[in-house]
Amino acid sequence: MAVSTSTLIFFVIIYLAATFYVAYLGYKKNSKTDGYMLAGRGVHPAIMALSYGAAFISTSAIIGFGGVAASLGMGLLWLVFMNIFFGIFIAFVVFGPPTRRMGLNLGAITYPEFIGKRFQSKFIQTYSALLLGIFMPLYAASVIIGAGRFLETTLGINYNIALIIFTIIIASYVIKGGLLSVMYVDAFQAILMLFGMGFLLIYTYNMLGGVTEAHQALTNMANLVPPALADQGHRGWTSMPAIGSPIWWTMVSTIIMGVGIGVLAQPQLAVRFMTVKNDVSLKRAVAVGGPFLLLMVGVAYTIGALSNVYFFKTEGVIALQAVPGGNTDLIMPTFLNHAMPEMFVALFMLCLLSAAMSTAAAQFHTMGTAIGYDVYQQSIMKGKSTATVHVTRLGIAFTIVVAIILAYILPGSIIARATAMFMGLCTAAFLPLFIGALFWKRTTKAGATASLVIGSLSSLFWLTFVHAKEAIPLGISQAIFGKETLLSGTWTVVDPILIATPLSLIALVAVSLITPQFSPEFLKKAFRHRFEDEEEEKTEKVSSSSVDSAGV
């Protein structure tokens, strides 16, 4: 279904004008380095929650994982539960408050600096920053690929041109405005995403005859599962794959576990905990972040699976057969362009652009601060350079270029896989260390270092030499050892997160128990609950109680 060019141009102009105005508001409130890097530490909880959710939910979820749901089915809805439980409740209530307080106590303004100062280690700060600078562009590339594919199928423009246009728009406000601009724009874009996904859900169910009818039709299509997928454990789009089958391992270990738990160790999300003024703000943000994620990922995965019903009714094929080469990255764009009203396609393009821009902006800011601030300013220049913001802007520009190059060369059906790969790497490298930093005072500098290095290297080793989906295309194992993977059988479908994360945790505990602890004075400084925060929280609670009493 063709989108009217004049209508589309009108929507895009209004959208970009609003985006740049909101970014300008954030830019005006920046306060030099602290404002540029950490949004001034006074962001409203609703803004933080929407920014967090928008930075987490991108075209990777809507386009990439929506396409995976079209291929593998509604078993991906378990990921929705994991996203909300771990990504919002555990993140905001359990991890958020100590992260905010410790970051403030130690004067940290980036995630690598946070864990570096917590363990008094420049090596940890630099190593963490390099991990982000080297591997996060893969994740960023998957996000802009999703936006580029939708622009390609919607507007019929060249994919490469779409990537350039999209990235220039993001770069224009991320480089200039800093984190507060990014968070303001994220919140604005999150609201657009809510309206777009809400309409998509209602319209799709109405088009397919209702909720019960649509799901029953999808259940009845189990006999249409391609033999190649059935042999790997696929039992229909409303059933979980056969336990222990290759598809089951992919869905459970790579997608549900890797992405569901991996969100806790995402630096671009964790740093947002340090942008609010107190712990109460973080707890209040749960009421905004939870429903937002439910609507975003719940709709994307549900509609992705139900696209099979639409394609079968209209074209007599399942979703995988309706797109060139079975490229799952094209399923959602194709469904939207064929099934949705013309006006909605134009509006939903803005919704997807919002999803991609919000996540890519967070990634670019995180990568840029890692390279410009943590590596150059703090490691190479030993904190002596005064051009922190300028260098960080150069770092952002550099990582944007790297992400664009990757977006050109990565293969099809890569969006969901690249996302899971990066989140799995972050989980193995950062999650045990992050838990130790916040909750176990006995964690030592040596234990944290061992955890970080062993977690990251074992994850990369498993990806390169064992996990078939990455090891075979890379060909490194074949070139060195003469075989596609070092291990065989079930091991080749077990995600690195299930191997590397336990190794990282064991290293953290074992090394910490046999190495010297930090001084009581330092631990007291790092873990102290600031008096002014306690008083402010008590005041807010009293005020809320007074309002409730007055209302009664």
Side-chain angles (χ1 to χ4, degrees):
M1 183 179 296
V3 180
S4 167
T5 303
S6 58
T7 300
L8 184 60
I9 291 175
F10 173 77
F11 285 142
V12 169
I13 290 174
I14 296 297
Y15 170 74
L16 291 179
T19 296
F20 286 117
Y21 176 70
V22 171
Y24 174 74
L25 293 178
Y27 168 71
K28 292 295 288 183
K29 290 189 176 183
N30 277 339
S31 56
K32 297 184 179 180
T33 300
D34 194 55
Y36 188 86
M37 308 283 278
L38 209 51
R41 299 184 190 266
V43 175
H44 190 280
I47 298 294
M48 192 284 290
L50 290 173
S51 173
Y52 179 99
F56 179 30
I57 302 303
S58 67
T59 46
S60 293
I62 300 172
I63 300 297
F65 285 96
V68 171
S71 172
L72 303 184
M74 288 192 175
L76 257 71
L77 290 177
W78 279 105
L79 180 56
V80 179
F81 167 77
M82 298 289 281
N83 287 155
I84 295 173
F85 181 71
F86 285 100
I88 297 295
F89 181 75
I90 297 297
F92 287 13
V93 175
V94 179
F95 282 71
T99 301
R100 186 199 69 81
R101 292 194 300 268
M102 191 175 290
L104 190 59
N105 293 339
L106 297 176
I109 59 177
T110 68
Y111 183 83
E113 185 177 43
F114 171 80
I115 56 177
K117 285 190 171 182
R118 165 62 180 88
F119 295 111
Q120 297 183 317
S121 170
K122 283 293 182 182
F123 172 81
I124 288 179
Q125 181 177 356
T126 305
Y127 188 93
S128 301
L130 287 173
L131 273 182
L132 298 179
I134 293 171
F135 294 103
M136 189 178 271
L138 177 67
Y139 182 19
S142 73
V143 172
I144 60 179
I145 286 172
R149 289 301 182 194
F150 187 74
L151 290 173
E152 178 188 34
T153 56
T154 302
L155 305 182
I157 63 177
N158 182 271
Y159 169 69
N160 297 328
I161 295 175
L163 288 181
I164 295 294
I165 294 173
F166 171 75
T167 309
I168 288 175
I169 293 172
I170 301 175
S172 63
Y173 69 85
V174 176
I175 294 176
K176 182 66 176 177
L179 185 57
L180 191 57
S181 283
V182 170
M183 293 183 73
Y184 273 29
V185 173
D186 284 351
F188 162 67
Q189 292 169 334
I191 294 172
L192 291 181
M193 291 159 63
L194 282 171
F195 282 108
M197 297 301 279
F199 180 87
L200 176 61
L201 180 68
I202 295 170
Y203 188 89
T204 300
Y205 275 127
N206 183 65
M207 177 179 60
L208 297 179
V211 176
T212 302
E213 292 78 3
H215 285 261
Q216 187 60 52
L218 187 61
T219 300
N220 296 340
M221 291 176 61
N223 63 309
L224 299 176
V225 173
L229 291 179
D231 291 342
Q232 296 182 60
H234 200 312
R235 300 192 299 182
W237 289 274
T238 57
S239 301
M240 281 292 288
I243 296 177
S245 66
I247 290 180
W248 184 88
W249 277 106
T250 296
M251 182 178 289
V252 173
S253 68
T254 301
I255 298 176
I256 296 176
M257 298 290 289
V259 178
I261 298 176
V263 63
L264 291 174
Q266 292 295 294
Q268 75 275 19
L269 301 181
V271 75
R272 278 160 169 71
F273 301 148
M274 296 190 281
T275 65
V276 295
K277 63 180 179 179
N278 55 34
D279 293 355
V280 172
S281 296
L282 284 167
K283 294 170 184 176
R284 288 177 176 171
V286 174
V288 176
F292 176 80
L293 275 193
L294 175 63
L295 189 57
M296 291 296 101
V297 292
V299 171
Y301 306 161
T302 299
I303 300 305
L306 290 174
S307 67
N308 286 283
V309 178
Y310 170 79
F311 285 119
F312 186 69
K313 285 185 174 181
T314 58
E315 301 181 26
V317 297
I318 63 173
L320 277 173
Q321 297 165 342
V323 295
N327 186 347
T328 57
D329 295 345
L330 295 176
I331 291 176
M332 287 297 284
T334 302
F335 169 74
L336 292 166
N337 280 284
H338 282 75
M340 296 293 114
E342 177 181 328
M343 185 68 71
F344 177 73
V345 173
L347 289 171
F348 198 76
M349 184 195 72
L350 301 183
C351 174
L352 280 180
L353 285 178
S354 295
M357 288 173 68
S358 58
T359 302
Q363 293 166 335
F364 292 150
H365 185 272
T366 300
M367 292 185 294
T369 56
I371 296 298
Y373 178 78
D374 292 299
V375 175
Y376 177 79
Q377 165 80 352
Q378 295 298 310
S379 181
I380 296 176
M381 299 301 296
K382 310 297 182 185
K384 296 178 180 178
S385 173
T386 58
T388 300
V389 173
H390 178 67
V391 171
T392 299
R393 285 171 173 161
L394 291 176
I396 293 173
F398 171 75
T399 55
I400 287 174
V401 172
V402 174
I404 292 176
I405 293 173
L406 287 173
Y408 281 133
I409 63 178
L410 288 173
S413 299
I414 191 62
I415 296 176
R417 191 192 312 173
T419 302
M421 285 170 60
F422 179 75
M423 287 194 171
L425 174 62
C426 281
T427 302
F430 296 130
L431 186 55
L433 178 152
F434 195 24
I435 293 172
L438 299 178
F439 306 113
W440 192 35
K441 294 182 181 180
R442 184 64 180 81
T443 307
T444 66
K445 176 179 178 179
T449 303
S451 174
L452 175 64
V453 173
I454 290 174
S456 58
L457 293 183
S458 59
S459 179
L460 292 172
F461 176 86
W462 200 264
L463 282 171
T464 305
F465 295 102
V466 180
H467 199 237
K469 284 198 171 182
E470 291 80 34
I472 293 175
L474 285 173
I476 296 175
S477 179
Q478 181 69 47
I480 297 176
F481 300 106
K483 49 185 178 180
E484 292 180 329
T485 57
L486 290 183
L487 299 179
S488 58
T490 302
W491 290 112
T492 63
V493 293
V494 175
D495 193 80
I497 190 175
L498 297 183
I499 304 298
T501 307
L503 289 176
S504 177
L505 181 60
I506 291 170
L508 179 90
V509 175
V511 176
S512 291
L513 289 175
I514 61 174
T515 52
Q517 300 182 55
F518 287 105
S519 68
E521 293 76 17
F522 171 74
L523 292 176
K524 183 177 179 180
K525 173 187 175 182
F527 282 88
R528 78 174 183 266
H529 191 158
R530 294 174 62 92
F531 175 76
E532 55 266 35
D533 289 342
E534 293 177 334
E535 290 301 310
E536 190 169 4
E537 289 176 27
K538 288 178 182 177
T539 301
E540 291 201 22
K541 290 177 181 178
V542 170
S543 299
S544 299
S545 299
S546 300
V547 171
D548 292 341
S549 299
V552 173

